[in-house]
């Protein structure tokens, strides 16, 4: 890029910007760089979904999974929301297609990948229709946190072992379990008081 160019991302303004919020930081960047050309990426109104896969040395997926985020990580942090997301039983076909085309486009081989996309909430002229999958970011690594464990529960398998098998044999050794379920995660914040205590929830849903 040229020295007088600056790359920033658009941020949707919902409320008056708080101090040190992403929006206030963006405003500060714009105000202090009025002499530079600004390139912005347009705000995309969509739900965050991700495609996970373990690939062999020819970019073929040995196993696939996905994750749905009702609220994005950014909104969870900035708005102090509770963290909740799920690993569904099966990968939707349009997300599977987008994930596979992405790994081929990047020439990814012999990797565990975590690719993030938007699922459009509304028709967007020039971009796609409601429900279409639009690229967000690529990560050449497994998903973070407890997500790999959730994938194990959802698909009744062992992604860690399949990753090791890919590295050592370039193949999938474990057969499909044919036992696929939804696995959900729900977290709570220490500073909030909830209607039901942890013990009450465990009495109903705990094992």
């Amino acid at each position: 890029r040229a020295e007088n160019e600056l790359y920033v991302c658009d941020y949707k303004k919902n409320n008056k910007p708080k101090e040190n919020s992403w929006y206030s930081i963006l405003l500060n960047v714009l105000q202090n760089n009025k002499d530079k050309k600004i390139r912005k990426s347009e705000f995309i109104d969509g739900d965050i979904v991700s495609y996970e896969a373990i690939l062999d040395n020819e970019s073929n997926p040995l196993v696939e999974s996905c994750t749905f985020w009702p609220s994005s990580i950014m909104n969870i942090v900035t708005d102090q929301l509770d963290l909740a997301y799920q690993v569904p039983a099966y990968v939707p076909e349009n997300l599977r297609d987008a994930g596979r085309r992405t790994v081929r486009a990047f020439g990814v081989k012999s990797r565990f990948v975590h690719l993030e996309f938007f699922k459009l909430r509304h028709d967007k002229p020039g971009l796609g229709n409601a429900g279409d999958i639009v690229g967000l970011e690529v990560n050449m690594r497994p998903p973070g946190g407890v997500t790999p464990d959730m994938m194990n529960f959802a698909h009744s398998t062992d992604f860690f072992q399949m990753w090791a098998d890919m590295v050592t044999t370039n193949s999938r050794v474990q057969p499909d379990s044919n036992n696929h379920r939804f696995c959900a995660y729900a977290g709570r914040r220490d500073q909030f008081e909830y209607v039901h205590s942890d013990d009450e929830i465990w009495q109903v849903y705990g094992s």
Side-chain angles (χ1 to χ4, degrees):
R1 73 187 187 200
E3 291 184 358
N4 65 337
E5 289 184 350
L6 181 71
Y7 289 75
V8 296
C9 293
D10 223 352
Y11 186 83
K12 186 177 182 181
K13 181 180 179 182
N14 295 316
N15 302 298
K16 182 179 179 180
K18 300 176 183 179
E19 185 178 359
N20 294 326
S21 70
W22 285 108
Y23 190 74
S24 66
I25 293 172
L26 175 61
L27 287 179
N28 184 60
V29 169
L30 296 177
Q31 291 169 356
N32 293 322
N33 292 276
K34 294 180 179 179
D35 59 327
K36 297 182 180 179
K37 295 180 180 178
I38 305 297
R39 293 189 181 185
K40 300 188 295 180
S41 61
E42 186 175 1
F43 176 82
I44 304 299
D45 188 10
D47 296 314
I48 305 295
V49 297
S50 66
Y51 168 87
E52 284 78 38
I54 296 175
L55 310 170
D56 68 11
N57 61 12
E58 294 183 349
S59 300
N60 299 311
L62 300 176
V63 62
E64 297 168 297
S65 185
C66 66
T67 309
F68 294 169
W69 300 85
S71 298
S72 71
I73 290 294
M74 183 184 74
N75 290 122
I76 289 169
V77 173
T78 59
D79 299 335
Q80 294 291 287
L81 304 177
D82 295 324
L83 173 59
Y85 67 103
Q86 64 170 292
V87 175
Y90 298 99
V91 182
E93 192 56 41
N94 61 346
L95 179 57
R96 184 192 306 274
D97 177 64
R100 291 183 176 184
R101 287 190 292 113
T102 300
V103 296
R104 286 197 297 269
F106 279 88
V108 188
K109 301 177 181 179
S110 302
R111 302 288 297 210
F112 198 147
V113 298
H114 166 63
L115 315 179
E116 297 184 13
F117 299 88
F118 289 112
K119 181 180 179 182
L120 296 181
R121 293 176 181 166
H122 311 283
D123 293 350
K124 183 70 174 178
L127 190 61
N129 298 319
D132 285 350
I133 302 298
V134 177
L136 173 57
E137 69 177 46
V138 297
N139 301 281
M140 306 307 173
R141 57 163 177 79
V146 298
T147 307
D149 297 295
M150 293 172 61
M151 292 160 57
N152 287 340
F153 284 120
H155 303 293
S156 303
T157 192
D158 187 340
F159 274 77
F160 299 104
Q161 185 60 54
M162 284 191 283
W163 190 8
D165 291 337
M166 178 275 290
V167 172
T168 57
T169 70
N170 190 45
S171 64
R172 175 172 177 168
V173 177
Q174 297 181 55
D176 191 312
S177 67
N178 293 314
N179 183 21
H180 302 276
R181 304 168 184 265
F182 285 78
C183 182
Y185 175 96
R188 311 211 289 184
R189 292 184 177 272
D190 292 337
Q191 70 266 37
F192 296 149
E193 292 186 7
Y194 295 88
V195 173
H196 299 287
S197 68
D198 289 349
D199 289 338
E200 289 174 328
I201 293 173
W202 277 110
Q203 287 176 9
V204 177
Y205 299 105
S207 57

